[in-house]
Amino acid sequence: MKIAVCGKGGSGKSTISALLARAMAARGHNVLVVDLDESNYGLHRQLGMEAPADFIGYFGGKEAATKKIVEYYQDRTKEPFDMKWSIATLPSGYVVVKCGIRLLSIGKIHDFGEGCACTMGSLSELLFKNLVLDENDVVIADTEAGVEHLGRGIEAGFDHIMVVVDPSYESLRLSRKIEAMVGNNGAKVHFVLNKMDEEIQKLVLGWFEGKSVAAVIPEDRGLFRATLEGRELDMEIPAIRCLADSLY
Ligand SMILES: Nc1ncnc2c1ncn2[C@@H]1O[C@H](COP(=O)(O)OP(=O)(O)OP(=O)(O)O)[C@@H](O)[C@H]1O
Ligand SMILES: [Mg+2]
């Protein structure tokens, strides 16, 4: 099963990714979390892990990977990295493992003037294309804010798109846009309403009548505080447990 977690900046994508990964691992699934966000550095801390080395390093670094990918775009028969992986055979130097969860990070932008993140986007696309999953495997892709990854079609072949919605107009609008972009491309779109209180929840639910609201997650001081302190999110959130149950 491949799940992409997407939505507006700061809506709680990484938080939900980390919590869902724990819930899935607790159910005995073999979980791979893929950090697709080239800018943020918090996900590994939310999982209580060290940061993995950038996966782009496996391909010789950004310059070498870019060269191969440009050649591929000029001639699509030239697969730049024509290997198949399973979760277990991903290059171990680029994967951090803890309690049944593996974390892989495509790559971060490190230096002023180093250029765009397009190579990371292309690598992500190729990784998912070449990742062969078993019945019990769950991939959770924590995406960068916005819709560029959808524009690239990185989620082709995914089963579920979790759209994390916080209580803001921008987030509500973006959730509609994402739903339209996914359209009939195979994945089921779910909405995860995050940072809700009772009053706001009623207002927000009005936007999602007839749609698949997979979870409503309350504003949680403990979650907020743990993230602020860079601590592992090891708390039980009942709505996340139900979300994990609903996916199998
Ligand atoms: N249910 C919640 N209750 C309280 N705070 C929350 C909740 N969910 C997320 N947060 C807080 O919101 C902030 C943003 O969360 P997070 O980093 O997960 O968002 P994101 O969508 O991944 O952001 P980015 O777009 O920057 O990657 C963090 O401070 C986090 O602790
Ligand atoms: Mg994030």
Side-chain angles (χ1 to χ4, degrees):
M1 177 186 290
K2 289 190 196 135
I3 305 166
V5 182
C6 56
K8 181 184 134 297
S11 58
K13 299 176 293 297
S14 299
T15 303
I16 306 297
S17 298
L19 292 170
L20 188 59
R22 277 180 71 89
M24 287 301 204
R27 269 154 196 74
H29 294 294
N30 195 23
V31 180
L32 171 70
V33 179
V34 184
D35 185 354
L36 295 182
D37 189 337
E38 69 281 349
S39 297
N40 284 318
Y41 294 85
L43 179 63
H44 66 281
R45 300 299 294 263
Q46 293 177 313
L47 288 162
M49 296 178 180
E50 294 298 316
D54 291 354
F55 190 45
I56 201 167
Y58 180 76
F59 304 98
K62 196 169 173 188
E63 218 171 292
T66 303
K67 198 162 165 277
K68 284 185 200 163
I69 281 167
V70 167
E71 283 168 9
Y72 172 57
Y73 283 147
Q74 285 161 352
D75 178 356
R76 291 280 180 160
T77 61
K78 285 189 186 155
E79 272 268 352
F81 319 109
D82 58 350
M83 59 282 272
K84 294 279 178 208
W85 285 289
S86 68
I87 288 184
T89 62
L90 283 165
S92 60
Y94 299 90
V95 179
V96 177
V97 192
K98 186 177 174 186
C99 303
I101 302 174
R102 288 175 167 80
L103 173 64
L104 180 141
S105 172
I106 296 295
K108 303 289 177 191
I109 299 284
H110 294 283
D111 299 314
F112 181 84
E114 75 162 72
C116 68
C118 290
T119 301
M120 279 77 134
S122 302
L123 260 188
S124 308
E125 203 181 319
L126 288 161
L127 167 67
F128 294 127
K129 208 171 127 197
N130 289 302
L131 190 60
V132 182
L133 299 185
D134 277 342
E135 191 90 329
N136 196 37
D137 291 344
V138 175
V139 172
I140 298 174
D142 179 24
T143 68
E144 87 272 8
V147 294
E148 188 187 335
H149 47 94
L150 287 160
R152 285 179 167 275
I154 286 173
E155 288 87 348
F158 272 56
D159 304 286
H160 301 282
I161 310 283
M162 297 287 157
V163 188
V164 183
V165 181
D166 71 12
S168 67
Y169 183 73
E170 273 301 329
S171 193
L172 293 167
R173 284 303 303 268
L174 187 65
S175 70
R176 287 275 202 277
K177 178 69 193 165
I178 292 173
E179 185 183 30
M181 283 179 87
V182 176
N184 296 323
N185 281 307
K188 185 165 174 7
V189 175
H190 312 259
F191 300 97
V192 176
L193 312 186
N194 192 25
K195 308 188 191 184
M196 296 290 147
D197 66 27
E198 260 179 49
E199 182 197 344
I200 295 297
Q201 179 181 326
K202 278 187 204 138
L203 280 174
V204 172
L205 276 171
W207 269 70
F208 295 97
E209 267 179 38
K211 299 188 189 295
S212 170
V213 174
V216 179
I217 300 169
E219 176 84 40
D220 184 305
R221 213 58 200 158
L223 266 183
F224 178 79
R225 177 107 193 224
T227 305
L228 173 64
E229 292 169 356
R231 279 191 284 117
E232 182 176 2
L233 304 184
D234 55 4
M235 55 288 282
E236 265 274 314
I237 305 287
I240 295 285
R241 195 175 54 227
C242 296
L243 174 61
D245 286 342
S246 73
L247 291 172
Y248 268 92

